[in-house]
Amino acid sequence: MNRQRFTALLVAALLAISGALYLSTQRNLPRDPHGMALLPSLAGELNSVSALTVRKGAAAPVTVHKQSEQWTVAERADYPADVPKLKKLLLALSDAKIREEKTSNPDSYALIGVEDPSQPGAGGTQIELTAQNGKHAVIVGKSAGEGTFIRRAGEKTSYIVEPAISVEAEPRYWIDTRLLDIPTDKIQSVESKPASGAAYSVHRVAASQPKPTDNKSASPGGAASTANPKSAEAPPASPPPAPAADKFVLDGVPSGRQAADSQTLAPSPAHFSNLTVEDVVPAGDIDFSKPSTVTVTLADGSVITFSGTVIGDKRWIKVTAPKDATLSAKANGRAFEMASYRYDGIFRPLELLLVPKPPPPPPSTKKPAAAPKP
């Protein structure tokens, strides 16, 4: 081997060694995760997600799962779930991008809320998704500006991700809160039988419609005037009168009292329209042995009955609707917690439908006349 060839081989060997060292060094450099997806494969699996489980602290986990093409809450006897809320969370997890890498030290997890969520008093909430190709699990911690601290379950590194992700860990926040919608213009009557106090009923009375007016112009004696052609023209027709509003009448007015006006008696849309609930439990869990009942009859003859009771600071109702199969499937065997203002508006006491009693006269301040002196 001549000197020139030896030199060329030596240079080539040095270049190969240098290249290998450089590649090895680059391979061991930490990768910048900024902008990477938190759960890269989730976007392609969203349509296959079949269950969501939320865990926090010592509380029982919440499971929202798909049952026969319907999303339900397992801890609420498979009551229908709030699908828009579920979709919002799934899309947030799918769209979440890493903004910054944070601590990998388990001793610091609690500071940002990404510690083991099974620990009592843990600040973090674990979300686990079951999809076609496996499970995805993350621990959602505290807010971080416009983002959230998050750690993928089973990994040491935590991150700040955007957009922010929030999740509820109580079953009541995952139910579909919409119960029913009664258009008040369809209500014909409301019959109330309170647990204590006088019963009454309110019913609709159709208003008599005004007769149309005759706008024909006639001359004295009944013949149309032809002296002036312009005056013979018919005047413009007046707009038809507005239909009179129906009235509501109160039955069961106590002797010596007077019913309130029709507007006060009429069922309010604030109480019967878009009726929502705050929680749902099996009806057997609530004591309805002494209920108040309200029976609503609609224009088509269908009847909806509300049974209500107050336990502590909570208002509970049961609903029966024999002619409404959809509502019956949702309400049968269940009791619903509702906001107090809704409950009080449905179960109105008779006194609220009466003209208030006049206040008692003020006590007389006039001193009695002095007795005449003997």
PDB file of all heavy atoms in Angstrom, residues 179-199:
ATOM      1  N   LEU A 179     -85.122  18.033  30.549  1.00  0.00           N
ATOM      2  CA  LEU A 179     -86.131  17.045  30.876  1.00  0.00           C
ATOM      3  C   LEU A 179     -87.335  17.131  29.953  1.00  0.00           C
ATOM      4  O   LEU A 179     -87.696  16.158  29.295  1.00  0.00           O
ATOM      5  CB  LEU A 179     -86.571  17.201  32.339  1.00  0.00           C
ATOM      6  CG  LEU A 179     -87.611  16.182  32.826  1.00  0.00           C
ATOM      7  CD1 LEU A 179     -87.099  14.755  32.674  1.00  0.00           C
ATOM      8  CD2 LEU A 179     -88.000  16.456  34.268  1.00  0.00           C
ATOM      9  N   LEU A 180     -87.977  18.286  29.892  1.00  0.00           N
ATOM     10  CA  LEU A 180     -89.159  18.429  29.038  1.00  0.00           C
ATOM     11  C   LEU A 180     -89.385  19.899  28.723  1.00  0.00           C
ATOM     12  O   LEU A 180     -88.789  20.786  29.323  1.00  0.00           O
ATOM     13  CB  LEU A 180     -90.398  17.817  29.703  1.00  0.00           C
ATOM     14  CG  LEU A 180     -90.796  18.313  31.087  1.00  0.00           C
ATOM     15  CD1 LEU A 180     -91.666  19.567  31.008  1.00  0.00           C
ATOM     16  CD2 LEU A 180     -91.563  17.233  31.839  1.00  0.00           C
ATOM     17  N   ASP A 181     -90.261  20.126  27.757  1.00  0.00           N
ATOM     18  CA  ASP A 181     -90.601  21.482  27.341  1.00  0.00           C
ATOM     19  C   ASP A 181     -92.103  21.534  27.106  1.00  0.00           C
ATOM     20  O   ASP A 181     -92.612  20.882  26.198  1.00  0.00           O
ATOM     21  CB  ASP A 181     -89.835  21.857  26.067  1.00  0.00           C
ATOM     22  CG  ASP A 181     -90.102  23.284  25.625  1.00  0.00           C
ATOM     23  OD1 ASP A 181     -90.619  24.072  26.441  1.00  0.00           O
ATOM     24  OD2 ASP A 181     -89.813  23.618  24.461  1.00  0.00           O
ATOM     25  N   ILE A 182     -92.799  22.284  27.956  1.00  0.00           N
ATOM     26  CA  ILE A 182     -94.251  22.428  27.813  1.00  0.00           C
ATOM     27  C   ILE A 182     -94.548  23.841  27.320  1.00  0.00           C
ATOM     28  O   ILE A 182     -94.379  24.809  28.076  1.00  0.00           O
ATOM     29  CB  ILE A 182     -94.983  22.187  29.151  1.00  0.00           C
ATOM     30  CG1 ILE A 182     -94.629  20.813  29.728  1.00  0.00           C
ATOM     31  CG2 ILE A 182     -96.479  22.308  28.963  1.00  0.00           C
ATOM     32  CD1 ILE A 182     -95.278  20.531  31.072  1.00  0.00           C
ATOM     33  N   PRO A 183     -94.982  24.000  26.062  1.00  0.00           N
ATOM     34  CA  PRO A 183     -95.360  25.346  25.599  1.00  0.00           C
ATOM     35  C   PRO A 183     -96.563  25.839  26.400  1.00  0.00           C
ATOM     36  O   PRO A 183     -97.586  25.164  26.463  1.00  0.00           O
ATOM     37  CB  PRO A 183     -95.718  25.126  24.124  1.00  0.00           C
ATOM     38  CG  PRO A 183     -95.105  23.804  23.749  1.00  0.00           C
ATOM     39  CD  PRO A 183     -95.121  22.989  25.005  1.00  0.00           C
ATOM     40  N   THR A 184     -96.423  26.975  27.001  1.00  0.00           N
ATOM     41  CA  THR A 184     -97.497  27.459  27.874  1.00  0.00           C
ATOM     42  C   THR A 184     -98.777  27.766  27.106  1.00  0.00           C
ATOM     43  O   THR A 184     -99.862  27.739  27.694  1.00  0.00           O
ATOM     44  CB  THR A 184     -97.040  28.705  28.645  1.00  0.00           C
ATOM     45  OG1 THR A 184     -96.486  29.659  27.730  1.00  0.00           O
ATOM     46  CG2 THR A 184     -95.987  28.337  29.674  1.00  0.00           C
ATOM     47  N   ASP A 185     -98.679  28.043  25.792  1.00  0.00           N
ATOM     48  CA  ASP A 185     -99.905  28.308  25.038  1.00  0.00           C
ATOM     49  C   ASP A 185    -100.698  27.023  24.779  1.00  0.00           C
ATOM     50  O   ASP A 185    -101.826  27.081  24.278  1.00  0.00           O
ATOM     51  CB  ASP A 185     -99.589  29.015  23.723  1.00  0.00           C
ATOM     52  CG  ASP A 185     -98.689  28.200  22.818  1.00  0.00           C
ATOM     53  OD1 ASP A 185     -98.068  27.223  23.294  1.00  0.00           O
ATOM     54  OD2 ASP A 185     -98.604  28.517  21.616  1.00  0.00           O
ATOM     55  N   LYS A 186    -100.108  25.876  25.119  1.00  0.00           N
ATOM     56  CA  LYS A 186    -100.822  24.601  24.965  1.00  0.00           C
ATOM     57  C   LYS A 186    -101.450  24.133  26.280  1.00  0.00           C
ATOM     58  O   LYS A 186    -102.185  23.150  26.289  1.00  0.00           O
ATOM     59  CB  LYS A 186     -99.868  23.520  24.465  1.00  0.00           C
ATOM     60  CG  LYS A 186     -99.161  23.855  23.152  1.00  0.00           C
ATOM     61  CD  LYS A 186    -100.140  24.030  22.010  1.00  0.00           C
ATOM     62  CE  LYS A 186     -99.398  24.292  20.692  1.00  0.00           C
ATOM     63  NZ  LYS A 186    -100.359  24.573  19.588  1.00  0.00           N
ATOM     64  N   ILE A 187    -101.149  24.819  27.371  1.00  0.00           N
ATOM     65  CA  ILE A 187    -101.678  24.405  28.674  1.00  0.00           C
ATOM     66  C   ILE A 187    -103.136  24.837  28.791  1.00  0.00           C
ATOM     67  O   ILE A 187    -103.460  26.025  28.645  1.00  0.00           O
ATOM     68  CB  ILE A 187    -100.847  24.992  29.815  1.00  0.00           C
ATOM     69  CG1 ILE A 187     -99.417  24.421  29.785  1.00  0.00           C
ATOM     70  CG2 ILE A 187    -101.492  24.693  31.171  1.00  0.00           C
ATOM     71  CD1 ILE A 187     -98.506  24.995  30.850  1.00  0.00           C
ATOM     72  N   GLN A 188    -104.006  23.868  29.057  1.00  0.00           N
ATOM     73  CA  GLN A 188    -105.423  24.159  29.235  1.00  0.00           C
ATOM     74  C   GLN A 188    -105.789  24.312  30.710  1.00  0.00           C
ATOM     75  O   GLN A 188    -106.647  25.119  31.050  1.00  0.00           O
ATOM     76  CB  GLN A 188    -106.277  23.040  28.607  1.00  0.00           C
ATOM     77  CG  GLN A 188    -106.162  22.971  27.093  1.00  0.00           C
ATOM     78  CD  GLN A 188    -106.613  24.260  26.419  1.00  0.00           C
ATOM     79  OE1 GLN A 188    -105.798  24.997  25.878  1.00  0.00           O
ATOM     80  NE2 GLN A 188    -107.901  24.536  26.466  1.00  0.00           N
ATOM     81  N   SER A 189    -105.162  23.533  31.561  1.00  0.00           N
ATOM     82  CA  SER A 189    -105.475  23.649  32.976  1.00  0.00           C
ATOM     83  C   SER A 189    -104.324  23.126  33.817  1.00  0.00           C
ATOM     84  O   SER A 189    -103.513  22.311  33.354  1.00  0.00           O
ATOM     85  CB  SER A 189    -106.757  22.876  33.321  1.00  0.00           C
ATOM     86  OG  SER A 189    -106.561  21.476  33.164  1.00  0.00           O
ATOM     87  N   VAL A 190    -104.273  23.601  35.053  1.00  0.00           N
ATOM     88  CA  VAL A 190    -103.289  23.159  36.041  1.00  0.00           C
ATOM     89  C   VAL A 190    -104.044  22.895  37.334  1.00  0.00           C
ATOM     90  O   VAL A 190    -104.688  23.796  37.883  1.00  0.00           O
ATOM     91  CB  VAL A 190    -102.191  24.210  36.276  1.00  0.00           C
ATOM     92  CG1 VAL A 190    -101.231  23.736  37.356  1.00  0.00           C
ATOM     93  CG2 VAL A 190    -101.443  24.524  34.995  1.00  0.00           C
ATOM     94  N   GLU A 191    -103.972  21.658  37.800  1.00  0.00           N
ATOM     95  CA  GLU A 191    -104.628  21.284  39.050  1.00  0.00           C
ATOM     96  C   GLU A 191    -103.564  21.001  40.095  1.00  0.00           C
ATOM     97  O   GLU A 191    -102.645  20.205  39.859  1.00  0.00           O
ATOM     98  CB  GLU A 191    -105.514  20.057  38.852  1.00  0.00           C
ATOM     99  CG  GLU A 191    -106.252  19.629  40.107  1.00  0.00           C
ATOM    100  CD  GLU A 191    -107.109  18.390  39.874  1.00  0.00           C
ATOM    101  OE1 GLU A 191    -107.138  17.894  38.728  1.00  0.00           O
ATOM    102  OE2 GLU A 191    -107.718  17.908  40.845  1.00  0.00           O
ATOM    103  N   SER A 192    -103.675  21.657  41.253  1.00  0.00           N
ATOM    104  CA  SER A 192    -102.653  21.539  42.286  1.00  0.00           C
ATOM    105  C   SER A 192    -103.252  20.969  43.564  1.00  0.00           C
ATOM    106  O   SER A 192    -104.300  21.420  44.034  1.00  0.00           O
ATOM    107  CB  SER A 192    -102.036  22.910  42.568  1.00  0.00           C
ATOM    108  OG  SER A 192    -101.085  22.832  43.616  1.00  0.00           O
ATOM    109  N   LYS A 193    -102.557  19.964  44.122  1.00  0.00           N
ATOM    110  CA  LYS A 193    -102.930  19.385  45.406  1.00  0.00           C
ATOM    111  C   LYS A 193    -101.684  19.359  46.283  1.00  0.00           C
ATOM    112  O   LYS A 193    -100.893  18.419  46.242  1.00  0.00           O
ATOM    113  CB  LYS A 193    -103.474  17.968  45.224  1.00  0.00           C
ATOM    114  CG  LYS A 193    -104.781  17.906  44.438  1.00  0.00           C
ATOM    115  CD  LYS A 193    -105.270  16.475  44.286  1.00  0.00           C
ATOM    116  CE  LYS A 193    -106.572  16.419  43.504  1.00  0.00           C
ATOM    117  NZ  LYS A 193    -107.048  15.009  43.326  1.00  0.00           N
ATOM    118  N   PRO A 194    -101.470  20.419  47.047  1.00  0.00           N
ATOM    119  CA  PRO A 194    -100.251  20.488  47.870  1.00  0.00           C
ATOM    120  C   PRO A 194    -100.278  19.487  49.005  1.00  0.00           C
ATOM    121  O   PRO A 194    -101.340  19.034  49.442  1.00  0.00           O
ATOM    122  CB  PRO A 194    -100.258  21.931  48.382  1.00  0.00           C
ATOM    123  CG  PRO A 194    -101.679  22.347  48.333  1.00  0.00           C
ATOM    124  CD  PRO A 194    -102.309  21.617  47.183  1.00  0.00           C
ATOM    125  N   ALA A 195     -99.093  19.148  49.491  1.00  0.00           N
ATOM    126  CA  ALA A 195     -98.994  18.234  50.629  1.00  0.00           C
ATOM    127  C   ALA A 195     -99.675  18.834  51.850  1.00  0.00           C
ATOM    128  O   ALA A 195    -100.228  18.115  52.682  1.00  0.00           O
ATOM    129  CB  ALA A 195     -97.525  17.927  50.919  1.00  0.00           C
ATOM    130  N   SER A 196     -99.644  20.129  51.985  1.00  0.00           N
ATOM    131  CA  SER A 196    -100.361  20.826  53.053  1.00  0.00           C
ATOM    132  C   SER A 196    -100.920  22.111  52.457  1.00  0.00           C
ATOM    133  O   SER A 196    -100.283  22.757  51.628  1.00  0.00           O
ATOM    134  CB  SER A 196     -99.437  21.141  54.230  1.00  0.00           C
ATOM    135  OG  SER A 196     -98.376  21.977  53.818  1.00  0.00           O
ATOM    136  N   GLY A 197    -102.118  22.466  52.852  1.00  0.00           N
ATOM    137  CA  GLY A 197    -102.747  23.653  52.285  1.00  0.00           C
ATOM    138  C   GLY A 197    -103.886  23.282  51.355  1.00  0.00           C
ATOM    139  O   GLY A 197    -104.127  22.108  51.043  1.00  0.00           O
ATOM    140  N   ALA A 198    -104.602  24.297  50.894  1.00  0.00           N
ATOM    141  CA  ALA A 198    -105.802  24.096  50.078  1.00  0.00           C
ATOM    142  C   ALA A 198    -105.455  23.736  48.634  1.00  0.00           C
ATOM    143  O   ALA A 198    -104.485  24.249  48.063  1.00  0.00           O
ATOM    144  CB  ALA A 198    -106.660  25.358  50.114  1.00  0.00           C
ATOM    145  N   ALA A 199    -106.265  22.834  48.057  1.00  0.00           N
ATOM    146  CA  ALA A 199    -106.130  22.483  46.644  1.00  0.00           C
ATOM    147  C   ALA A 199    -106.836  23.534  45.790  1.00  0.00           C
ATOM    148  O   ALA A 199    -107.722  24.258  46.260  1.00  0.00           O
ATOM    149  CB  ALA A 199    -106.708  21.098  46.391  1.00  0.00           C
TER     150      ALA A 199
END
